[in-house]
Amino acid sequence: MPRKEREVTMRRPLMAGNWKMFLDIPGAGKLAEELVSGTKNVTDRDILVCPSFPLLSRVAQAVEGSAVQLGAQNLYYEESGVFTGEVSAAMLRSVPCSYVIVGHSERRHVFGESDELVGKKVASALKQGLRVILCVGELLEEREEGNTKRVVKRQIERGLDGVEEAALEDVVVAYEPVWAIGTGKTATPKDADNVHAYIRTVLSTKFSKTAASEMRILYGGSVKPENVDGLMAKANIDGALVGGASLKSESFLRIIKFET
Ligand code: PEP
């Protein structure tokens, strides 16, 4: 694989699939098995799938001993208690999941999750040994009003409120412009890279420059086999969070095996 600027920075790409509220137990098991067999020779990047809660155990069984890691799409910040319908970090650890997505735009905008709630979820997940993918991104009207930077800065600062620098090695940020999720519209590689560079500046102000330079920032929003190579060629794009195109092994395997 040709070398590129990003490799110099030592950030290992993370290619993550968000299966959202799709699939059933047999379908998730089959997809996970196809991903395991299709990535046997992939050693230079991390691979993650995030199925919905009822599918986690079956997928855990399918990916055990492979390079495919398992994550959940959400959690609640309390450790246990009378919270009907909620799932704790400890429950996810026991599956075992290693990652959890927090603050996905569908959680923020369909289920009304605030920055404060997202911050509590991040803190709880980290405290209980999960790695976090913190999603940030602006709505179309926020972009059109020129507020992209303001929105992602607020989401990063509040999402990582109280997080110690030492815990940052377990945090990945995903920049997902809301107008690009599930719409077929993708930010251009240049636009996405610019926002990623800005996110790194925000991180280096809140934490140290070194910590910011080591953090992985994924792009999400209609990533497909046709556009992944161009996105991954950018210096500040360290991986992808993929929705629709992660639901079929053929397209997700092509995305995982991006070439720059
Ligand atoms: C997502 O679910 O995080 C996502 C980016 O979805 P899609 O790839 O379908 O736009």
Side-chain angles (χ1 to χ4, degrees):
M1 184 176 299
R3 296 188 68 76
K4 60 175 266 193
E5 198 184 334
R6 184 176 36 71
E7 287 175 340
V8 177
T9 66
M10 310 286 287
R11 292 189 299 266
R12 187 177 157 88
L14 170 60
M15 309 309 282
N18 172 14
W19 292 355
K20 308 198 189 202
M21 198 175 73
F22 291 109
L23 301 170
D24 56 11
I25 289 177
K30 181 169 175 282
L31 176 55
E33 279 159 8
E34 288 167 2
L35 294 173
V36 167
S37 72
T39 54
K40 284 214 167 85
N41 299 323
V42 178
T43 54
D44 61 347
R45 55 204 66 184
D46 291 337
I47 305 156
L48 172 69
V49 291
C50 301
S52 59
F53 295 137
L55 313 181
L56 286 171
S57 291
R58 173 66 186 95
V59 176
Q61 191 191 9
V63 302
E64 194 181 353
S66 80
V68 179
Q69 300 180 69
L70 183 63
Q73 298 171 15
N74 186 26
L75 84 165
Y76 192 56
Y77 63 82
E78 293 286 357
E79 289 183 18
S80 63
V82 287
F83 303 105
T84 302
E86 296 298 328
V87 170
S88 70
M91 289 171 182
L92 297 179
R93 290 277 293 146
S94 75
V95 173
C97 287
S98 46
Y99 278 87
V100 62
I101 298 172
V102 180
H104 189 279
S105 73
E106 287 145 21
R107 300 299 320 167
R108 293 179 189 266
H109 301 298
V110 181
F111 299 100
E113 291 195 4
S114 64
D115 291 325
E116 193 201 0
L117 178 58
V118 170
K120 285 182 175 173
K121 289 183 175 196
V122 169
S124 171
L126 291 173
K127 192 173 149 212
Q128 292 179 71
L130 284 168
R131 294 198 164 120
V132 169
I133 299 182
L134 170 63
C135 298
V136 300
E138 80 286 2
L139 296 163
L140 183 58
E141 58 263 35
E142 291 168 332
R143 183 179 191 87
E144 286 172 349
E145 286 160 4
N147 283 329
T148 297
K149 288 184 175 176
R150 192 175 312 170
V151 170
V152 299
K153 181 172 190 281
R154 190 199 69 224
Q155 290 174 335
I156 298 269
E157 286 176 346
R158 299 202 188 153
L160 297 179
D161 191 29
V163 172
E164 300 286 334
E165 176 149 332
L168 281 189
E169 63 184 22
D170 291 329
V171 179
V172 175
V173 171
Y175 169 59
E176 300 205 304
V178 181
W179 48 270
I181 298 179
T183 59
K185 292 182 195 155
T186 325
T188 63
K190 190 167 167 239
D191 280 353
D193 193 53
N194 284 342
V195 180
H196 284 218
Y198 175 71
I199 289 172
R200 222 176 277 292
T201 307
V202 172
L203 291 167
S204 69
T205 308
K206 186 166 172 54
F207 302 99
S208 71
K209 221 171 165 173
T210 310
S213 73
E214 286 170 355
M215 269 183 81
R216 291 184 288 191
I217 305 175
L218 315 184
Y219 171 76
S222 299
V223 174
K224 300 183 274 273
E226 302 78 53
N227 59 23
V228 68
D229 296 346
L231 288 160
M232 290 305 300
K234 289 295 180 189
N236 279 294
I237 300 183
D238 307 314
L241 181 54
V242 187
S246 71
L247 290 165
K248 292 264 182 309
S249 57
E250 192 188 356
S251 54
F252 194 37
L253 284 169
R254 171 62 185 86
I255 289 170
I256 291 167
K257 295 177 187 181
F258 72 86
E259 288 186 24
T260 56

